[in-house]
Amino acid sequence: MTRPRGRSAEAKPLATTRSRQCSFSSPRKPGGNMTIPRLTTKQWIALILGAFFTLVLFSQTIAPKATTWVLSKGPFERPPQEVVANLKSDISLDLSQVVVGSPTPHFRDNLRNDTRYLTSWISSGFTNDVMTLGNLIYLAIITNRVPILPPMDSYIGKWPQPVPFSSIFDLPRLRRALNIPVLEWQEVKDLESQEIDSLGCWNIFEVDDMRSEGPRNSRNPDILALDISYTRAPSSVKLIPGFIHDAHSSFWALAPLAFSDSRAKALASPDVETKPGMRTGTSTPPDEQLLCFDYLFYVCVDQPFEYGNDVYPSWSAVQKHFRWTSEVEEIGNGFIRRALSVADGAPIPPHITIHARHGDFSNWCNEPNGLNCFAPLSVFAIRVEEIQKELLERKGIHAEHVIMTSDEQDESWWDEVKAMGWLRIDHNKEKTAEDYGEWYPVIVDAYVQSAGQGFVGTDRSTFSTLANLRVRDWHDGAVRTVRWGSPDADSH
Ligand SMILES: *[C@@H]1O[C@H](CO)[C@@H](O)[C@H](O)[C@H]1NC(C)=O
C-alpha cells in the first residue's frame, strides 16, 4: 500500500497565497488514486461535447450535472482531470470585472467604484464557519453585492494557521454554480503589506445576543490588518424582540442596511452608536460600498436554527455548491480506500458513514457517566440497518461497509465499534496532521462523512447536519439522525 508522504498536500497558509484562485490549476495527485472510467475515445468525445452543450444551456447548474453521469453509475468514479479542466477553463470568472487588479496594500484601492461588496467575520469553528460563509453569500445574493470571504481560521479546540476557503472548497466551481463573482480577501488586499485599513461595520451580535457586551470577537480583522469601527445596529435587526435566549436576525431584517435610504434611516434611530476602532482610534460609520457585519452565523429566514427544516436557503441556494477541491477528494478517498482495504485506484464500494459526536457534548448531559447519555452503538446499528434497507429498495445498492467517525478518545469504546464490524479512520495512527497539515484531521472526517451513500449523524451536531445534507443532496443518499441525552432518547 503506497501513500503520499511529506507536506506536498498541506493547505497553503493564507498570507503566501498570491495566485488568483479563479483560474483552474491542476491539483497534485497524491497517491495517484485517479480512476479513469473505461470508455472508448468516441464515448469520451460524446461526453465532452455533451457536457459542453449542457454548460452552454444550463451554466448555472453545470457543476453538479457534469458529475451526475459518473455518480449515477454506482461506485464513485471521478472523471479524468482533462475533462474537468476543460469545463473549468471555459467559464472561469474574469476578476477584472469585480476588482481593479492585483491585491493592493490598502483594500480600498482595489474596489471598483461601480461595484458594491459585502463581508463579515467568522468565529465559531470549522463547520459553523462554513455555515456562516453560506449566510454571508446568501445575504450578498439578495442584496446584489459581491461577497468577500474571510479566511478559515479555526476548528473545535484548535486555532490552525488561517487558510483560504478555496484551499478546502472548489471556489471556481462555486462561482459557476451560483453564477456570481465570489471573492476572497487575499484577492482584494495584499496581506503581506500589513497596512492597517479602517473599516466601518455593523455590530449586530450585541443587539441579537442580549448577554453579549460588544460585537462578536473574531481573529479575521487582525489577520487582514483591518481596524474595525463598529456601529451598534438598530434594535429592529433582532428576530425575537426582548428575548434573551435567542441571538438571531433574519436575512430580510439585515438586507435593508445594504441600501442607502434604509441605511440612513437606521443610522438615525436613537439606539445606534458608533465606536472607534481599537487600533487607530478612528470612528467611521458603516461602509456603504463594502457592507460589513460582525457575525452572520445566527441569521435565518424566520426560524432560529432552521437548518433542520425544509426552509434553509443558505444550504439549498449556496452551501450545497461548496464542493471539495479535487485535492481534498483525492486525499479523502485515500483514507476511505485504506479503511475499506481497497487498492489504490480501485473503485470505492458503497458504504455508510456514522458520526458519533461525543466530546464536549457531555457537558449537556445530566447523566454522571457521559457514555450513558450518548446513544449506544446498538441504536446506531438500527439506523444503519434502516439505511441499508432503504438503499437496497430505492437504489438497488448493497452498502455493507460502515465507517465510524467520532471524537471519542476512549479506546474501549472504539473496541466496541470494531466488534460491531465497523471501520475506523484513526488520525493518530494515520499521522494525518503530520502528513497533510493541521487542517486535515477535521477535513478528512468531513469529507469521509460526505462521500458515502448513507449517513447516520448525531442530533444537535452541525458537523452531522452538513454531512446529512451533503449525502442527501450530492448522492441522493439515505440519511438518519440519532437522538441522545438519555438511554432511550432514540427509541422510535
Ligand atoms: C471610476 O473608475 C474609473 C476607472 O478607474 C474612472 O475612469 C472613473 O472616473 C471613476 N468614476 C468615479 C465616479 O469616480
Side-chain angles (χ1 to χ4, degrees), residues 59 78 118 154 208 213 309 375 391-392 403 423 431 459 471:
S59 62
R78 301 232 2 244
L118 192 154
S154 78
D208 286 336
E213 284 167 1
N309 306 347
L391 285 174
L392 191 59
I403 302 176
L423 305 164
K431 295 194 168 40
D459 193 27
V471 169

Side-chain angles (χ1 to χ4, degrees), residues 68-140:
T68 307
W69 57 268
V70 188
L71 294 177
S72 61
K73 295 249 181 336
F76 182 76
E77 284 188 299
R78 301 232 2 244
Q81 278 307 316
E82 305 86 285
V83 174
V84 183
N86 284 344
L87 288 173
K88 288 183 178 202
S89 56
D90 277 348
I91 43 175
S92 67
L93 172 76
D94 178 6
L95 274 193
S96 70
Q97 290 169 9
V98 281
V99 286
V100 173
S102 303
T104 46
H106 294 287
F107 77 84
R108 225 171 270 286
D109 296 335
N110 206 10
L111 302 184
R112 284 179 52 118
N113 60 17
D114 59 356
T115 305
R116 295 184 307 166
Y117 307 82
L118 192 154
T119 197
S120 186
W121 321 125
I122 52 176
S123 169
S124 42
F126 178 64
T127 305
N128 293 9
D129 288 347
V130 170
M131 296 163 89
T132 304
L133 295 181
N135 292 348
L136 192 174
I137 295 172
Y138 187 65
L139 188 57

Side-chain angles (χ1 to χ4, degrees), residues 267-286:
L267 285 174
S269 47
D271 46 348
V272 162
E273 184 197 356
T274 298
K275 290 199 169 143
M278 293 199 294
R279 294 172 91 170
T280 65
T282 312
S283 275
T284 169

Side-chain angles (χ1 to χ4, degrees), residues 220-296:
N220 286 158
D222 284 340
I223 296 163
L224 304 172
L226 297 172
D227 187 41
I228 310 296
S229 169
Y230 278 112
T231 297
R232 198 187 141 97
S235 55
S236 58
V237 301
K238 184 163 167 61
L239 181 71
I240 311 174
F243 188 55
I244 196 168
H245 302 293
D246 183 62
H248 278 76
S249 279
S250 79
F251 285 106
W252 287 103
L254 300 181
L257 299 173
F259 302 92
S260 310
D261 287 355
S262 32
R263 173 182 175 275
K265 211 160 130 197
L267 285 174
S269 47
D271 46 348
V272 162
E273 184 197 356
T274 298
K275 290 199 169 143
M278 293 199 294
R279 294 172 91 170
T280 65
T282 312
S283 275
T284 169
D287 206 274
E288 287 211 74
Q289 187 181 16
L290 174 50
L291 177 63
C292 166
F293 296 96
D294 58 340
Y295 189 55
L296 295 173

